[in-house]
Amino acid sequence: MPNIGPLEIIVVLIIVLVIFGPKRLPDLGRSLGKGMREFKDSVTGKDDEPHELPRTTEDEPVTTRPRDDSVL
């Protein structure tokens, strides 16, 4: 496996800077960091929001209509 030295890293960073430009570079880094964070959270099973179980018909309250005896 080849070792990546500081000179290779500098060359790659210069190429990225030329391709994307200095204005898009912060957005690119931010989206890359967010993607890596979401991937790590999904692998470890850590979520920000708790999972809700789907509701079933048993969870619904039973409503009955009042019985009208005068009709019969």
Side-chain angles (χ1 to χ4, degrees):
M1 185 174 198
N3 292 333
I4 299 176
L7 184 60
E8 288 87 4
I9 293 175
I10 291 172
V11 169
V12 169
L13 290 176
I14 289 174
I15 292 172
V16 168
L17 182 64
V18 168
I19 291 174
F20 291 108
K23 291 185 179 180
R24 290 209 43 211
L25 207 55
D27 292 335
L28 184 67
R30 193 175 301 117
S31 65
L32 181 65
K34 184 178 178 183
M36 289 173 56
R37 194 175 315 115
E38 287 178 2
F39 177 75
K40 184 185 84 168
D41 289 345
S42 68
V43 168
T44 59
K46 181 177 136 183
D47 289 331
D48 290 338
E49 48 199 50
H51 294 288
E52 285 189 23
L53 295 175
R55 293 186 63 151
T56 62
T57 55
E58 295 172 357
D59 295 339
E60 299 291 327
V62 178
T63 57
T64 58
R65 294 189 325 208
R67 192 169 166 187
D68 190 12
D69 290 335
S70 63
V71 176
L72 295 176

Coordinates of all heavy atoms in Angstrom, one line a residue:
M1 N 0.9 -1.2 0.0 CA 0.0 0.0 0.0 C 0.9 1.2 0.0 O 1.8 1.4 0.9 CB -0.9 0.0 1.2 CG -1.9 1.0 1.3 SD -3.0 0.7 2.7 CE -4.3 1.8 2.3
P2 N 0.7 2.1 -1.0 CA 1.6 3.3 -1.0 C 1.3 4.3 0.1 O 0.1 4.5 0.5 CB 1.2 3.9 -2.4 CG -0.1 3.4 -2.7 CD -0.3 2.1 -2.1
N3 N 2.4 4.9 0.5 CA 2.2 5.9 1.6 C 2.0 7.3 0.9 O 2.5 7.6 -0.1 CB 3.5 6.0 2.4 CG 3.7 4.8 3.2 OD1 2.8 4.1 3.6 ND2 5.0 4.5 3.5
I4 N 1.1 8.1 1.5 CA 0.8 9.4 1.0 C 1.5 10.4 1.8 O 1.2 10.5 3.0 CB -0.7 9.7 1.0 CG1 -1.4 8.6 0.1 CG2 -1.0 11.1 0.5 CD1 -2.9 8.8 0.1
G5 N 2.4 11.1 1.2 CA 3.2 12.1 2.0 C 2.6 13.5 1.9 O 1.5 13.7 1.3
P6 N 3.2 14.4 2.6 CA 2.7 15.8 2.6 C 2.7 16.5 1.2 O 1.8 17.3 0.9 CB 3.6 16.6 3.5 CG 4.7 15.6 3.9 CD 4.4 14.3 3.4
L7 N 3.6 16.1 0.4 CA 3.7 16.7 -1.0 C 2.5 16.3 -1.8 O 1.9 17.1 -2.5 CB 5.0 16.3 -1.7 CG 5.2 16.9 -3.1 CD1 5.2 18.5 -3.0 CD2 6.5 16.4 -3.7
E8 N 2.1 15.0 -1.7 CA 1.0 14.5 -2.5 C -0.3 15.1 -2.0 O -1.2 15.4 -2.8 CB 0.9 13.0 -2.4 CG 1.9 12.2 -3.2 CD 3.2 12.0 -2.4 OE1 3.3 12.4 -1.2 OE2 4.2 11.5 -3.0
I9 N -0.5 15.3 -0.7 CA -1.6 16.0 -0.1 C -1.8 17.4 -0.6 O -2.8 17.9 -1.0 CB -1.6 15.9 1.4 CG1 -1.8 14.4 1.9 CG2 -2.7 16.7 2.0 CD1 -1.6 14.2 3.4
I10 N -0.6 18.1 -0.7 CA -0.7 19.5 -1.1 C -1.1 19.6 -2.6 O -1.9 20.4 -3.0 CB 0.7 20.2 -0.9 CG1 1.0 20.3 0.6 CG2 0.8 21.5 -1.6 CD1 2.4 20.8 1.0
V11 N -0.6 18.6 -3.4 CA -0.9 18.6 -4.8 C -2.4 18.3 -5.0 O -3.1 19.0 -5.8 CB -0.1 17.5 -5.6 CG1 -0.6 17.3 -7.0 CG2 1.4 18.0 -5.6
V12 N -3.0 17.4 -4.2 CA -4.4 17.1 -4.3 C -5.2 18.3 -3.9 O -6.2 18.6 -4.5 CB -4.7 15.8 -3.5 CG1 -6.2 15.7 -3.3 CG2 -4.1 14.6 -4.1
L13 N -4.8 19.0 -2.8 CA -5.6 20.2 -2.4 C -5.5 21.3 -3.4 O -6.5 22.0 -3.6 CB -5.0 20.6 -1.0 CG -5.3 19.7 0.2 CD1 -4.6 20.3 1.4 CD2 -6.8 19.6 0.4
I14 N -4.4 21.5 -4.1 CA -4.3 22.5 -5.1 C -5.2 22.2 -6.3 O -5.9 23.0 -6.8 CB -2.8 22.7 -5.5 CG1 -2.0 23.4 -4.4 CG2 -2.7 23.5 -6.8 CD1 -0.6 23.5 -4.7
I15 N -5.2 20.9 -6.7 CA -6.1 20.5 -7.8 C -7.6 20.7 -7.4 O -8.4 21.2 -8.2 CB -5.8 19.0 -8.2 CG1 -4.4 18.9 -8.8 CG2 -6.9 18.5 -9.1 CD1 -4.0 17.5 -9.0
V16 N -8.0 20.3 -6.2 CA -9.3 20.5 -5.7 C -9.7 22.0 -5.7 O -10.8 22.4 -6.1 CB -9.6 19.9 -4.3 CG1 -10.9 20.3 -3.7 CG2 -9.5 18.4 -4.4
L17 N -8.7 22.9 -5.3 CA -9.0 24.3 -5.2 C -9.2 24.9 -6.6 O -10.0 25.7 -6.9 CB -7.8 25.0 -4.5 CG -7.9 26.5 -4.4 CD1 -9.1 26.9 -3.5 CD2 -6.6 27.1 -3.8
V18 N -8.4 24.4 -7.6 CA -8.5 24.8 -9.0 C -9.8 24.4 -9.6 O -10.5 25.2 -10.3 CB -7.3 24.3 -9.8 CG1 -7.6 24.6 -11.3 CG2 -6.0 25.0 -9.4
I19 N -10.2 23.2 -9.3 CA -11.5 22.6 -9.9 C -12.7 23.3 -9.3 O -13.6 23.7 -10.0 CB -11.6 21.1 -9.7 CG1 -10.5 20.4 -10.6 CG2 -12.9 20.6 -10.1 CD1 -10.4 18.9 -10.4
F20 N -12.8 23.4 -8.0 CA -14.0 23.9 -7.4 C -14.0 25.4 -7.1 O -15.0 26.0 -6.9 CB -14.3 23.1 -6.1 CG -14.7 21.7 -6.3 CD1 -13.8 20.7 -6.0 CD2 -15.9 21.4 -6.8 CE1 -14.1 19.4 -6.2 CE2 -16.2 20.1 -7.0 CZ -15.4 19.1 -6.7
G21 N -12.8 26.0 -6.9 CA -12.7 27.4 -6.7 C -12.8 27.7 -5.2 O -13.3 26.9 -4.4
P22 N -12.3 28.9 -4.8 CA -12.3 29.2 -3.4 C -13.7 29.5 -2.7 O -13.9 29.4 -1.5 CB -11.5 30.5 -3.3 CG -11.5 31.1 -4.7 CD -11.7 29.9 -5.6
K23 N -14.7 29.8 -3.6 CA -16.0 30.1 -3.0 C -16.8 28.9 -2.7 O -17.6 28.9 -1.7 CB -16.8 31.0 -4.0 CG -16.3 32.4 -4.1 CD -17.1 33.2 -5.0 CE -16.6 34.6 -5.1 NZ -17.4 35.5 -6.0
R24 N -16.6 27.8 -3.4 CA -17.4 26.6 -3.2 C -16.7 25.6 -2.2 O -17.3 24.7 -1.8 CB -17.6 25.8 -4.5 CG -18.6 26.6 -5.4 CD -19.4 25.8 -6.3 NE -19.9 24.6 -5.7 CZ -20.1 23.5 -6.4 NH1 -19.9 23.4 -7.7 NH2 -20.6 22.4 -5.8
L25 N -15.4 25.9 -1.9 CA -14.6 25.0 -1.1 C -15.2 24.9 0.3 O -15.3 23.7 0.8 CB -13.2 25.5 -1.1 CG -12.1 24.4 -0.8 CD1 -12.3 23.3 -1.8 CD2 -10.7 25.0 -0.8
P26 N -15.6 25.9 1.0 CA -16.2 25.8 2.3 C -17.5 24.9 2.3 O -17.8 24.1 3.2 CB -16.5 27.2 2.8 CG -15.6 28.0 2.0 CD -15.4 27.4 0.7
D27 N -18.4 25.2 1.3 CA -19.6 24.4 1.2 C -19.3 22.9 0.9 O -20.0 22.0 1.4 CB -20.5 24.9 0.0 CG -21.0 26.3 0.3 OD1 -21.2 26.6 1.5 OD2 -21.3 27.0 -0.6
L28 N -18.3 22.6 0.1 CA -17.9 21.3 -0.2 C -17.4 20.6 1.1 O -17.8 19.4 1.4 CB -16.8 21.3 -1.2 CG -16.3 19.9 -1.7 CD1 -17.4 19.2 -2.5 CD2 -15.1 20.1 -2.6
G29 N -16.6 21.3 1.9 CA -16.1 20.7 3.1 C -17.2 20.5 4.1 O -17.2 19.5 4.8
R30 N -18.1 21.4 4.2 CA -19.3 21.3 5.1 C -20.1 20.1 4.7 O -20.5 19.3 5.6 CB -20.1 22.6 5.1 CG -21.1 22.7 6.2 CD -21.8 24.1 6.2 NE -20.8 25.2 6.3 CZ -20.6 26.1 5.4 NH1 -21.2 26.1 4.3 NH2 -19.7 27.1 5.6
S31 N -20.4 19.9 3.5 CA -21.3 18.8 3.0 C -20.6 17.5 3.2 O -21.2 16.5 3.5 CB -21.7 19.0 1.6 OG -20.6 19.0 0.7
L32 N -19.3 17.5 3.0 CA -18.5 16.2 3.2 C -18.5 15.9 4.7 O -18.7 14.7 5.0 CB -17.1 16.4 2.7 CG -16.1 15.2 2.8 CD1 -16.6 14.1 1.9 CD2 -14.7 15.6 2.5
G33 N -18.3 16.8 5.5 CA -18.3 16.5 7.0 C -19.7 16.1 7.5 O -19.8 15.2 8.3
K34 N -20.8 16.7 6.9 CA -22.1 16.3 7.3 C -22.4 14.9 6.8 O -23.0 14.1 7.6 CB -23.1 17.3 6.7 CG -24.5 17.0 7.1 CD -25.5 18.0 6.5 CE -26.9 17.7 6.8 NZ -27.8 18.6 6.2
G35 N -22.0 14.6 5.6 CA -22.2 13.2 5.1 C -21.4 12.2 5.9 O -22.0 11.1 6.2
M36 N -20.2 12.5 6.3 CA -19.4 11.5 7.1 C -20.1 11.4 8.5 O -20.1 10.3 9.0 CB -18.0 12.0 7.2 CG -17.2 11.9 6.0 SD -15.6 12.7 6.0 CE -14.8 11.9 7.4
R37 N -20.6 12.4 9.1 CA -21.2 12.4 10.4 C -22.5 11.5 10.3 O -22.7 10.7 11.2 CB -21.5 13.8 10.9 CG -21.9 13.9 12.3 CD -22.1 15.3 12.8 NE -21.0 16.2 12.3 CZ -21.2 17.2 11.5 NH1 -22.5 17.5 11.0 NH2 -20.3 18.0 11.1
E38 N -23.3 11.7 9.3 CA -24.5 10.9 9.1 C -24.2 9.4 8.9 O -24.9 8.6 9.4 CB -25.4 11.5 8.0 CG -26.0 12.8 8.3 CD -26.8 13.3 7.1 OE1 -26.8 12.6 6.0 OE2 -27.4 14.4 7.2
F39 N -23.1 9.2 8.1 CA -22.7 7.8 7.9 C -22.3 7.1 9.2 O -22.7 6.0 9.5 CB -21.6 7.7 6.9 CG -21.1 6.4 6.6 CD1 -21.8 5.5 5.9 CD2 -19.9 5.9 7.1 CE1 -21.4 4.2 5.6 CE2 -19.4 4.7 6.9 CZ -20.2 3.8 6.2
K40 N -21.5 7.8 10.0 CA -21.0 7.3 11.3 C -22.2 7.1 12.2 O -22.3 6.0 12.9 CB -20.0 8.3 11.9 CG -19.4 7.7 13.2 CD -18.6 8.8 13.9 CE -19.5 9.6 14.7 NZ -18.8 10.5 15.6
D41 N -23.2 8.0 12.3 CA -24.3 7.8 13.1 C -25.2 6.7 12.7 O -25.7 5.9 13.5 CB -25.2 9.1 13.2 CG -24.5 10.2 13.9 OD1 -23.5 9.9 14.7 OD2 -24.9 11.4 13.8
S42 N -25.3 6.4 11.4 CA -26.1 5.3 10.9 C -25.4 4.0 11.2 O -26.1 3.0 11.4 CB -26.4 5.5 9.4 OG -25.3 5.3 8.7
V43 N -24.1 4.0 11.1 CA -23.4 2.7 11.4 C -23.4 2.4 12.9 O -23.6 1.2 13.2 CB -21.9 2.8 10.9 CG1 -21.1 1.7 11.4 CG2 -21.9 2.9 9.4
T44 N -23.3 3.4 13.7 CA -23.3 3.1 15.2 C -24.7 3.0 15.7 O -24.9 2.5 16.8 CB -22.6 4.2 15.9 OG1 -23.2 5.5 15.7 CG2 -21.1 4.3 15.5
G45 N -25.7 3.3 15.0 CA -27.1 3.2 15.4 C -27.5 4.4 16.3 O -28.6 4.4 16.9
K46 N -26.8 5.5 16.3 CA -27.1 6.6 17.1 C -28.0 7.6 16.2 O -27.6 7.9 15.1 CB -25.8 7.4 17.5 CG -26.0 8.6 18.3 CD -24.7 9.2 18.7 CE -24.7 10.6 18.5 NZ -23.4 11.3 18.8
D47 N -29.1 7.9 16.8 CA -30.1 8.8 16.1 C -30.4 10.0 16.9 O -30.4 10.0 18.2 CB -31.4 8.1 15.7 CG -31.2 7.1 14.6 OD1 -30.3 7.3 13.8 OD2 -31.9 6.1 14.6
D48 N -30.7 11.1 16.3 CA -31.1 12.3 17.0 C -32.5 12.3 17.5 O -32.9 12.8 18.5 CB -30.9 13.6 16.2 CG -29.4 13.9 16.0 OD1 -28.6 13.5 16.8 OD2 -29.1 14.6 15.0
E49 N -33.4 11.6 16.7 CA -34.8 11.6 17.0 C -35.2 10.2 17.3 O -34.8 9.2 16.7 CB -35.6 12.2 15.9 CG -35.2 11.6 14.5 CD -35.7 12.5 13.4 OE1 -35.4 13.7 13.5 OE2 -36.3 12.0 12.5
P50 N -36.0 10.0 18.3 CA -36.4 8.6 18.7 C -37.4 8.0 17.6 O -38.1 8.8 16.9 CB -37.2 8.8 20.0 CG -37.6 10.2 20.0 CD -36.6 11.0 19.2
H51 N -37.3 6.7 17.4 CA -38.2 6.1 16.5 C -39.6 5.9 17.1 O -39.7 5.5 18.2 CB -37.6 4.7 16.0 CG -36.3 4.9 15.3 ND1 -36.3 5.3 14.0 CD2 -35.1 4.6 15.7 CE1 -35.0 5.3 13.6 NE2 -34.3 4.9 14.6
E52 N -40.6 6.2 16.3 CA -42.0 5.9 16.7 C -42.5 4.6 16.1 O -42.2 4.4 14.9 CB -42.9 7.1 16.3 CG -42.7 8.3 17.2 CD -43.8 9.3 16.9 OE1 -44.9 8.9 16.4 OE2 -43.5 10.5 17.1
L53 N -43.2 3.9 16.9 CA -43.8 2.7 16.3 C -45.0 3.1 15.5 O -45.7 4.0 15.8 CB -44.2 1.7 17.4 CG -43.0 1.2 18.3 CD1 -43.6 0.3 19.4 CD2 -42.1 0.3 17.4
P54 N -45.2 2.4 14.4 CA -46.4 2.7 13.6 C -47.7 2.4 14.4 O -47.8 1.4 15.2 CB -46.3 1.8 12.4 CG -45.3 0.8 12.7 CD -44.5 1.3 13.8
R55 N -48.7 3.3 14.2 CA -49.9 3.1 15.0 C -50.8 2.0 14.3 O -50.8 1.9 13.1 CB -50.7 4.4 15.0 CG -50.0 5.4 15.8 CD -50.8 6.7 15.9 NE -52.0 6.3 16.6 CZ -52.7 7.1 17.4 NH1 -52.3 8.4 17.5 NH2 -53.8 6.7 18.0
T56 N -51.4 1.2 15.2 CA -52.3 0.2 14.6 C -53.7 0.6 15.0 O -54.0 1.5 15.7 CB -52.0 -1.2 15.3 OG1 -52.2 -1.1 16.7 CG2 -50.5 -1.6 15.0
T57 N -54.7 -0.2 14.5 CA -56.1 0.1 14.8 C -56.4 -0.1 16.2 O -57.4 0.4 16.7 CB -57.0 -0.8 13.9 OG1 -56.7 -2.2 14.1 CG2 -56.8 -0.5 12.4
E58 N -55.6 -0.9 16.9 CA -55.8 -1.1 18.4 C -55.5 0.1 19.2 O -56.1 0.3 20.3 CB -55.0 -2.3 18.9 CG -55.4 -3.6 18.3 CD -54.4 -4.7 18.6 OE1 -53.4 -4.4 19.3 OE2 -54.7 -5.9 18.2
D59 N -54.6 1.0 18.6 CA -54.3 2.2 19.3 C -55.3 3.3 19.2 O -55.4 4.2 20.0 CB -53.0 2.8 18.8 CG -51.8 1.8 19.1 OD1 -51.9 1.0 20.0 OD2 -50.8 1.9 18.3
E60 N -56.2 3.2 18.2 CA -57.2 4.2 17.9 C -58.3 4.0 19.0 O -58.8 2.9 19.3 CB -57.8 4.0 16.5 CG -56.8 4.1 15.4 CD -56.3 5.5 15.3 OE1 -57.1 6.5 15.5 OE2 -55.2 5.7 14.9
P61 N -58.8 5.1 19.5 CA -60.0 5.1 20.4 C -61.2 4.6 19.7 O -61.5 5.0 18.6 CB -60.1 6.5 20.9 CG -59.5 7.3 19.9 CD -58.4 6.5 19.3
V62 N -62.0 3.8 20.4 CA -63.2 3.3 19.8 C -64.3 4.3 20.0 O -64.6 4.8 21.2 CB -63.6 2.0 20.4 CG1 -64.9 1.5 19.9 CG2 -62.5 0.9 20.2
T63 N -65.0 4.8 19.0 CA -66.1 5.7 19.1 C -67.3 5.0 18.7 O -67.4 4.3 17.7 CB -65.8 6.9 18.2 OG1 -65.7 6.5 16.8 CG2 -64.6 7.7 18.6
T64 N -68.3 5.2 19.5 CA -69.7 4.7 19.2 C -70.7 5.8 19.1 O -70.6 6.8 19.7 CB -70.1 3.7 20.3 OG1 -70.1 4.4 21.5 CG2 -69.1 2.5 20.4
R65 N -71.6 5.6 18.2 CA -72.7 6.6 18.1 C -73.7 6.3 19.2 O -74.0 5.2 19.5 CB -73.3 6.5 16.7 CG -72.4 6.9 15.6 CD -73.0 7.0 14.3 NE -74.1 6.0 14.2 CZ -74.5 5.5 13.0 NH1 -73.9 5.9 11.9 NH2 -75.5 4.7 13.0
P66 N -74.3 7.4 19.7 CA -75.4 7.1 20.7 C -76.6 6.4 20.0 O -76.9 6.7 18.9 CB -75.7 8.5 21.2 CG -75.1 9.5 20.2 CD -74.1 8.8 19.5
R67 N -77.1 5.6 20.7 CA -78.2 4.8 20.2 C -79.5 5.6 20.4 O -79.9 6.1 21.4 CB -78.3 3.5 21.0 CG -79.2 2.5 20.4 CD -79.0 1.2 21.0 NE -80.2 0.3 20.6 CZ -80.4 -0.8 21.1 NH1 -79.6 -1.3 22.0 NH2 -81.4 -1.5 20.7
D68 N -80.3 5.6 19.3 CA -81.6 6.3 19.3 C -82.7 5.3 19.3 O -83.0 4.7 18.3 CB -81.6 7.3 18.1 CG -82.8 8.2 18.1 OD1 -83.4 8.3 19.2 OD2 -83.1 8.8 17.1
D69 N -83.3 5.1 20.5 CA -84.4 4.1 20.6 C -85.7 4.5 20.0 O -86.6 3.7 19.8 CB -84.6 3.7 22.0 CG -83.4 2.9 22.6 OD1 -82.7 2.3 21.7 OD2 -83.1 3.0 23.8
S70 N -85.8 5.8 19.8 CA -87.1 6.3 19.3 C -87.4 6.0 17.8 O -88.5 6.0 17.4 CB -87.2 7.8 19.4 OG -86.2 8.4 18.6
V71 N -86.4 5.6 17.1 CA -86.5 5.2 15.7 C -87.2 3.9 15.5 O -88.0 3.6 14.6 CB -85.2 5.3 14.9 CG1 -85.3 4.9 13.5 CG2 -84.6 6.7 15.0
L72 N -86.9 3.0 16.4 CA -87.4 1.6 16.3 C -88.8 1.5 16.6 O -89.8 1.6 16.9 CB -86.6 0.7 17.1 CG -85.2 0.5 16.7 CD1 -84.5 -0.4 17.7 CD2 -85.1 -0.2 15.4

